[in-house]
Amino acid sequence: MFSSSVSLRKKRPEEAEVSEDGHFTVTAYATAEEYDLEKLLSGLVQQELYQPKKFICTDDNGVEPDVLYVSAKYQVDKEPRDIFFFREGTVILWNIGELECSNVLSFLKQYEQDSYDENVVTGESEQMVYNYVPTEQASAHLKRGLFLLTRDEDSYLEKYTFSNAMSLSVKLGIWEASLDKYIESIAFVTDNLKRGTKIKISRADMLRKTGELFALRHLINLSSDLLDTPDFYWDREHLENLYAQTCGYFSISRRTKVN
């Protein structure tokens, strides 16, 4: 099951923090169990603020695209503003300011299935900084908490790869928060057992807690899939290495470790 250790839940080591001066930000949120990407695409076209760029299939078989990549039509500066919407209910925003982020999250609500609590969404969000490698010969990589991209034509795939790992991290954060909340809600049972006193809980509460436990068990089973590298990377060795490096940075493997 999920590790309950506070140290393992910490997503970014202190020594990896970098100054945001001169860098751009990328922000990740998990807001729901799932997005209806097809309706979202239609809504974005009608809204006319973002240009749909590509539907990406993480399993690389083209059967059901599960990531929608869009770019802002109206530029504020030279750096593009890109967004990746993952069907699993996460959104990654590149170079998007706080106000625009808020507007995007509000717009998303109508396409969400089983939305999460807004306080949890905010609390489990991630923000990183990014910039570009200084030379054309260098490749995209992660260096001390800084995403470094190339300016190649296919650099959106580098953004997608970083986004993929961030998506996993914030989704896992939501599940960790759910587990913490459940453990806290039954703490009195442990206390009563330690004291040898009678456990006071109604039948209705017992049934409700049992239901919550089964739901968490389902999430824990899903977490094992997070350790599998998506098929998308099987013939993209550099992106696969970049994905693995970024997942390692967010401690995905340790945070899904079975105890």
Side-chain angles (χ1 to χ4, degrees):
M1 62 185 298
F2 297 127
S3 170
S4 59
S5 169
V6 174
S7 62
L8 295 189
R9 284 206 58 193
K10 187 173 182 178
K11 304 176 183 68
R12 296 186 293 272
E14 292 181 1
E15 64 270 21
E17 293 183 0
V18 297
S19 170
E20 293 187 13
D21 293 343
H23 299 312
F24 307 101
T25 60
V26 51
T27 310
Y29 297 93
T31 70
E33 280 299 304
E34 189 173 327
Y35 296 148
D36 187 327
L37 288 187
E38 289 71 26
K39 289 184 178 179
L40 172 59
L41 173 59
S42 178
L44 289 169
V45 170
Q46 293 179 27
Q47 188 190 42
E48 297 186 339
L49 292 178
Y50 300 94
Q51 178 65 46
K53 292 289 188 178
K54 198 173 186 65
F55 247 141
I56 301 172
C57 299
T58 56
D59 59 8
D60 214 24
N61 61 16
V63 175
E64 184 183 42
D66 46 14
V67 182
L68 175 60
Y69 163 47
V70 305
S71 189
K73 286 186 175 182
Y74 308 102
Q75 287 189 297
V76 176
D77 50 37
K78 292 183 179 180
E79 179 63 18
R81 305 194 317 282
D82 295 334
I83 307 176
F84 291 85
F85 299 97
F86 287 75
R87 191 179 296 277
E88 63 195 29
T90 60
V91 55
I92 319 299
L93 306 104
W94 292 76
N95 192 35
I96 305 290
E98 186 176 345
L99 178 59
E100 188 175 359
C101 272
S102 179
N103 290 337
V104 170
L105 295 181
S106 296
F107 178 78
L108 257 180
K109 289 184 181 300
Q110 59 192 305
Y111 306 105
E112 295 176 350
Q113 298 178 20
D114 298 324
S115 301
Y116 299 141
D117 178 87
E118 291 185 9
N119 291 328
V120 178
V121 169
T122 301
E124 297 301 326
S125 63
E126 293 276 8
Q127 187 169 84
M128 299 288 287
V129 289
Y130 75 95
N131 216 315
Y132 294 87
V133 292
T135 64
E136 294 182 359
Q137 289 75 28
S139 58
H141 59 281
L142 172 62
K143 182 178 181 180
R144 293 187 60 80
L146 174 66
F147 293 160
L148 288 167
L149 307 168
T150 68
R151 295 188 182 275
D152 295 342
E153 184 178 346
D154 290 336
S155 63
Y156 77 91
L157 290 176
E158 298 165 356
K159 283 187 174 182
Y160 163 75
T161 301
F162 284 127
S163 297
N164 198 175
M166 289 190 76
S167 171
L168 291 182
S169 183
V170 292
K171 193 72 171 183
L172 183 54
I174 294 291
W175 295 347
E176 289 168 332
S178 298
L179 180 59
D180 286 348
K181 182 178 179 181
Y182 180 81
I183 292 174
E184 184 179 350
S185 72
I186 61 171
F188 72 95
V189 174
T190 304
D191 292 339
N192 288 342
L193 288 173
K194 286 180 179 179
R195 292 195 297 265
T197 58
K198 183 179 179 180
I199 299 174
K200 297 180 180 180
I201 185 170
S202 68
R203 179 177 177 80
D205 285 341
M206 179 64 75
L207 290 174
R208 180 165 54 83
K209 290 299 176 186
T210 301
E212 291 176 5
L213 182 59
F214 277 115
L216 282 171
R217 181 180 178 183
H218 174 64
L219 295 181
I220 290 169
N221 289 336
L222 286 177
S223 74
S224 62
D225 295 337
L226 299 181
L227 300 178
D228 298 331
T229 301
D231 294 342
F232 175 84
Y233 299 107
W234 78 271
D235 60 347
R236 299 176 172 95
E237 184 177 357
H238 171 61
L239 293 180
E240 181 178 3
N241 292 335
L242 190 62
Y243 174 76
Q245 181 187 21
T246 311
C247 284
Y249 179 75
F250 288 112
S251 303
I252 298 297
S253 180
R254 288 192 298 161
R255 291 163 65 197
T256 54
K257 185 177 181 180
V258 177
N259 291 330

